[in-house]
Amino acid sequence: MSWRLAYLILLIVRFYFTLSPSYIHPDEHFQGPEILAGKFVTAYIFGWNVTKTWEFTTDYPIRSILPLWLAYGFPMTILRWIYGMSVNPILAYYCLRMFFFLISFSLEDWALQELGSTPKIRAHHLLFVASSYVTWTYQTHTFSNSVETIILAWTLVLIRRISFRNFGHTSHSWSCCLLGSLVAIGVFNRITFPAYLILPVWYLVPQFIRFPSSIIFIVFSALGTSLLAIYVDTRYYEASTPVLTPLNNFMYNFRPENLAKHGLHPRYTHFLVNLPQLLGPYLFLVRPQLSIAFLSAISGTIVLSLFQHQEARFLLPAIPLFLASTSIPKFALSTSSRKWTFISIFGIFNAILAGIFGIYHQGGIVPAQTLYIGPHASSTSDVVWWKTYSPPDWLLGEHEVGVIHRGTVSDVANVSSLVALDKQPGLRVWDMMGSHPDIISTLLKMLVTSVLQRHDRDDGDVLLVAPVAAKGLYKFLDDPSFPFYLKLEWTYSRHMNLDDFGVDYDEAMYYNRLLRRHYDINDKGDNNKNENDYSEDGALELGTWDRTKLMISQNRPGLGVWRVISRDFS
């Protein structure tokens, strides 16, 4: 098989995962599309009700708007020109995913071709990047890290071009100007961007010594782009003084107490956890070298490791660069069997991780918002999300939405105060995250009671959205003592919540008692069952296979939408 045919097949695989509505991290919505779907500076793109996270509402905003508009606002604006203001949210969602797919296989892959020294090495690197699950999943999602990856790749291309060309060429002058603009946009997009340039920038030193005038083009271009970003940010945030989002971002992340709010990790997490997770077996093929790609990847990884908040997606820009620094051992391809073993190892790794992050990981949230909750928003008063990532409000489009609470609640008294203060019109969203089942039951009781007091009826105005195997859900489904019951309205099978993975022993004991009743009724003649098979409280003791089935059952994939209906009106 030629490398071109292999690349085409891998491109089709990338396109498939582009269309899969998995949900890797809330930032892919709340730090991009969620913001731009509402107001942009003094105008509106769609004018939808959106939720602005703290990064955009603090007195010192840390996210710049200009890079967001280039990545999300531009395709959204094109969509508005075509369809007007009545754009379906699911169309906007897939439009953005397709845009990220296009810039991924065009700009990213093109840049990697430029960084390769020979046609054979270029093809080798291109196939490695195209076969990585990171390219299929993370890079086609609407992360600012995905944008950073594209900007960094072309920044390195321009550094390489400038370092090997004479200043007299017109294209060289334009390369210097474009380099300055890209660096500025990269910094305003993510404050981590300069970390990847600490070593590659030394490629430019000989050029600066020979032609000092080239520095002027880079500096003035970067300064002009920065001033434009500051102007846009100042207008958007309606500030009386210039808003310097990169400086605000740096000052925020420089304080350890701020990082602690988001989770602290050991400083070796990037090298010992995140890189193996992202690269897998590719990690053993990376060869230290003086190429601009490797120097950029290693400098970024080292600098980011100095900070104790370390998420895998922070290393996205480094992944294609590490993959462009690999070499295949000759013994791996010496025989046909070794070759297929080599391919199988990499194929299995990417297939498993792509299935998790590209299909199942929180995969039901976007379909639930767009296919069920959105069309039924007018007949629903409250939606309680439980044990899921935060639902993106922009996917509900023009419906009036009010987020009453977002976060885990640990005290029943807090639920009572929230319900008492609830005067929000329209669809009310309760993002309860990992709250205890008792908290959820209390909230559902109060919401159902509130509906009865307002309308003297209950048509199922309250919805519960949760994984079908959520720990503690069985209490609501099987306990007739509850003043409400759940009526399953909609399910989506390709959803998995890794944050709730494990076994609920209370649920296990509950179903064990059901098993005993089953055996007592149906297996009286079964000599394999005796008193030693039961624990002291009467529950059937499970063997290894039964425990395995229990683990699978309690962690089966799927997301459900239930209507919460009072038993008094059933």
Side-chain angles (χ1 to χ4, degrees), residues 138 270 274-275 277-278 310-316 319:
Y138 282 90
H270 275 325
N274 294 336
L275 275 182
Q277 174 190 324
L278 295 171
Q310 302 184 15
E311 298 181 30
R313 62 191 176 91
F314 295 169
L315 297 182
L316 285 192
I319 300 307

Side-chain angles (χ1 to χ4, degrees), residues 222-241:
L223 181 61
T225 305
S226 298
L227 291 175
L228 175 62
I230 293 171
Y231 170 77
V232 172
D233 290 342
T234 305
R235 289 288 304 277
Y236 178 82
Y237 291 112
E238 300 177 347
S240 57
T241 57

Side-chain angles (χ1 to χ4, degrees), residues 279-355:
L279 290 173
Y282 295 102
L283 188 59
F284 299 100
L285 305 182
V286 176
R287 297 292 178 266
Q289 51 194 270
L290 294 179
S291 68
I292 192 171
F294 180 79
L295 292 176
S296 176
I298 198 66
S299 70
T301 306
I302 291 175
V303 173
L304 293 182
S305 296
L306 299 178
F307 298 89
Q308 286 192 273
H309 181 60
Q310 302 184 15
E311 298 181 30
R313 62 191 176 91
F314 295 169
L315 297 182
L316 285 192
I319 300 307
L321 303 179
F322 276 125
L323 293 175
S325 308
T326 55
S327 61
I328 303 176
K330 293 182 178 180
F331 75 87
L333 305 177
S334 58
T335 64
S336 178
S337 61
R338 288 182 178 180
K339 178 180 179 180
W340 284 108
T341 300
F342 179 82
I343 294 175
S344 298
I345 291 174
F346 286 81
I348 292 172
F349 168 78
N350 286 303
I352 293 175
L353 272 295

Side-chain angles (χ1 to χ4, degrees), residues 16-25 28-29 93-94 97 136-138 140-143 353-367 389 492 494-495:
Y16 169 80
F17 285 104
T18 299
L19 300 180
S20 179
S22 68
Y23 185 180
I24 298 177
H25 192 279
E28 66 181 275
H29 290 283
Y93 171 80
Y94 280 114
R97 292 291 291 269
W136 303 344
T137 57
Y138 282 90
T140 58
H141 283 236
T142 51
F143 285 112
L353 272 295
I356 293 174
F357 291 104
I359 298 177
Y360 283 94
H361 193 269
Q362 302 288 335
I365 295 177
V366 171
Y389 278 1
Y492 188 83
R494 294 187 295 180
H495 176 97

Side-chain angles (χ1 to χ4, degrees), residues 29 35 42 111 114 122 129 149 151 173 184 187-188 199 206-207 210-211 239 242 280 324 381 437 468 549 563:
H29 290 283
I35 302 302
T42 58
E114 291 264 348
R122 291 170 186 166
V129 173
T149 302
I151 297 175
S173 303
V187 172
F188 275 84
L199 295 181
Q207 183 69 21
R210 292 175 57 200
F211 304 103
S381 63
V468 295
K549 289 191 293 183
R563 286 205 175 270

Side-chain angles (χ1 to χ4, degrees), residues 25 112 257 307 310 337 403 406 414 420 448 513 569:
H25 192 279
L112 290 174
E257 61 271 19
F307 298 89
Q310 302 184 15
S337 61
V403 179
R406 197 182 295 281
N414 294 337
V448 169
R513 295 186 182 95
F569 287 82

